[in-house]
């Protein structure tokens, strides 16, 4: 039985060349789709790393700011009211509450490396719940410093030391009293605003080693700067980094 030529033409398939061309076009389209997928995935990972970076930086700077807000506090309201009437009296009371071994704000200078920040916070011995330092360690009564002036008002307090060290994951991290607080913090720099002429206004910012010996109790403000890097792995040659500062 023979088929008409027109029928044979209708049953004709693809040639090898046509199949190869079709496969090539399909592979090109597939490669384009794969590239778009890879780019979107990389962008997602980068944005996720950046978001985590911002969260870590904000938490770290806020954590330090909360501790700074309490540093040098006078624990007894009566002392604060009385001290407010006379600048020198306030200075005298501060020296009684915060001896030289526990200055309200001090630290160490790291030069080209990292600084450290040391904050002391006094509490009255009559406080119902003993305070804890930033590592969560309860301070017994009496604690690091204990005074009985004036008029029998005793105080005790905590000292928090912020520094940069290698964390559990092998990356730089912010530590407080030896406990890791935030990973990814690579650098800590601190400047101290000092009143040098006795008018209780900041006249100049110093590194801690430059603060005049006679003005160690005249530090009124602190500038803290942190360099934070992402803790997530990215294929970017320049992983996200950001700087936070607080005064």
């Amino acid at each position: 039985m023979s088929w008409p030529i027109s029928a044979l033409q209708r049953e004709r398939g693809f040639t090898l060349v046509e199949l190869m061309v079709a496969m090539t076009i399909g592979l090109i389209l597939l490669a384009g789709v794969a590239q778009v997928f890879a780019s979107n995935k990389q962008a997602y990972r980068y944005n996720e790393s950046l978001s985590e970076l911002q969260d870590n930086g904000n938490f770290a700077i806020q954590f330090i700011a909360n501790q700074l807000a309490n540093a040098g506090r006078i624990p007894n309201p009566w002392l604060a009211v009385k001290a407010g009437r006379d600048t020198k009296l306030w200075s005298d009371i501060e020296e009684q509450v915060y001896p030289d071994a526990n200055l309200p704000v001090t630290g160490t200078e790291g030069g080209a490396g990292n600084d450290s920040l040391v904050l002391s916070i006094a509490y009255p011995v009559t406080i119902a719940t003993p305070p804890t330092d930033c590592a969560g360690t309860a301070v017994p009564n009496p604690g690091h410093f204990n005074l009985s002036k004036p008029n029998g008002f005793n105080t005790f307090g905590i000292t928090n030391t912020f520094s940069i060290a290698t964390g559990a994951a092998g990356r730089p991290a912010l530590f407080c009293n030896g406990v890791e607080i935030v990973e990814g913090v690579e650098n800590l720099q601190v400047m101290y605003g000092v009143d040098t002429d006795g008018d209780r206004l900041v006249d100049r910012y110093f590194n801690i080693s430059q603060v005049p010996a006679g003005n160690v109790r005249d530090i009124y403000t602190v500038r803290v700067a942190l360099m934070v890097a992402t803790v997530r792995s990215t294929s970017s040659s320049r992983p996200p980094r950001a700087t936070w500062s607080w005064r």
Side-chain angles (χ1 to χ4, degrees):
M1 180 178 181
S2 61
W3 294 90
I5 294 178
S6 59
L8 291 175
Q9 290 176 340
R10 286 197 298 269
E11 296 295 328
R12 180 174 176 270
F14 295 103
T15 65
L16 181 59
V17 174
E18 290 173 330
L19 287 174
M20 292 181 65
V21 170
M23 290 177 62
T24 301
I25 294 174
L27 288 174
I28 293 173
L29 293 175
L30 184 60
V33 171
Q35 181 63 36
V36 171
F37 175 79
S39 298
N40 288 340
K41 184 178 180 180
Q42 177 61 24
Y44 173 79
R45 292 178 60 187
Y46 188 91
N47 290 332
E48 190 177 39
S49 296
L50 184 60
S51 177
E52 186 175 53
L53 170 70
Q54 292 172 337
D55 288 342
N56 285 349
N58 288 335
F59 178 82
I61 203 71
Q62 191 59 50
F63 190 94
I64 296 175
N66 288 340
Q67 299 295 321
L68 274 168
N70 286 312
R73 66 190 293 272
I74 302 298
N76 188 282
W78 179 85
L79 296 181
V81 172
K82 185 175 181 180
R85 299 175 184 170
D86 186 280
T87 301
K88 187 176 186 305
L89 181 58
W90 175 269
S91 177
D92 289 345
I93 291 176
E94 182 188 270
E95 290 183 22
Q96 292 166 356
V97 177
Y98 294 92
D100 290 343
N102 295 98
L103 292 172
V105 179
T106 186
T108 61
E109 184 182 348
N114 290 294
D115 297 341
S116 71
L117 177 64
V118 183
L119 308 175
S120 294
I121 307 171
Y123 294 89
V125 296
T126 54
I127 191 171
T129 303
T132 59
D133 62 15
C134 60
T137 303
V139 179
N141 184 354
H144 296 143
F145 35 104
N146 179 35
L147 303 114
S148 58
K149 295 187 178 188
N151 299 324
F153 289 110
N154 295 343
T155 64
F156 67 104
I158 61 176
T159 298
N160 291 325
T161 301
F162 293 93
S163 59
I164 303 297
T166 301
R171 291 183 289 265
L174 176 67
F175 281 73
C176 185
N177 291 354
V179 175
E180 185 175 348
I181 303 299
V182 182
E183 65 176 331
V185 182
E186 296 184 337
N187 197 274
L188 167 65
Q189 298 294 320
V190 185
M191 297 288 289
Y192 302 82
V194 180
D195 169 24
T196 59
D197 58 10
D199 62 356
R200 307 193 71 176
L201 298 174
V202 172
D203 299 299
R204 183 179 172 186
Y205 280 86
F206 297 91
N207 294 321
I208 190 63
S209 62
Q210 299 173 330
V211 175
N215 296 115
V216 293
R217 293 186 178 275
D218 298 317
I219 297 173
Y220 286 167
T221 61
V222 178
R223 286 178 177 171
V224 178
L226 300 176
M227 173 67 78
V228 185
T230 179
V231 297
R232 291 181 179 269
S233 176
T234 66
S235 61
S236 171
S237 60
R238 299 185 63 185
R241 279 179 170 80
T243 302
W244 273 258
S245 61
W246 184 88
R247 180 175 68 178

